[in-house]
Amino acid sequence: MAIFMQAELTGVTTGQYDELHAKLRSLPGNPFDGCLAHVTVPTGSGLRIFDLWESEQALRRFNETVMPVAAEVGIPQGGMPQTSQVHNYWVPGM
């Protein structure tokens, strides 16, 4: 079952996010395996992340990978992201 995730990253800059993303992309394999969609939105206080994952297991695997890398680039561990089971999703043109 697909999972929607949203996280608030207070105090995180777009520069830190870009560094994190580059480090994740350089890892062997595909740390984003199972991610169906990802959006990052700058806010007045940091960043807001929205993800759609194919399963809770895929999201868990990603979190196990991302947390140590985020700490490396100085992104503090924030609160728990909000997750919800998805009733339906579709991609236009697919």
Side-chain angles (χ1 to χ4, degrees):
M1 174 169 297
I3 299 293
F4 179 74
M5 186 279 305
Q6 57 184 341
E8 198 73 35
L9 304 178
T10 304
V12 176
T13 67
T14 54
Q16 288 172 304
Y17 170 85
D18 292 344
E19 183 179 0
L20 171 64
H21 191 252
K23 283 184 178 274
L24 289 170
R25 291 181 56 89
S26 73
L27 293 175
N30 179 8
F32 307 103
D33 188 35
C35 185
L36 302 172
H38 172 81
V39 176
T40 301
V41 179
T43 67
S45 61
L47 301 174
R48 189 171 293 142
I49 307 289
F50 302 93
D51 283 352
L52 180 62
W53 289 89
E54 66 183 18
S55 68
E56 193 170 337
Q57 293 78 14
L59 174 57
R60 243 188 258 122
R61 271 193 317 270
F62 177 73
N63 283 338
E64 290 169 3
T65 301
V66 74
M67 296 312 286
V69 180
E72 273 181 39
V73 299
I75 295 176
Q77 185 173 359
M80 289 298 292
Q82 296 178 355
T83 60
S84 304
Q85 292 183 348
V86 174
H87 170 70
N88 187 30
Y89 72 93
W90 60 277
V91 178
M94 305 282 299

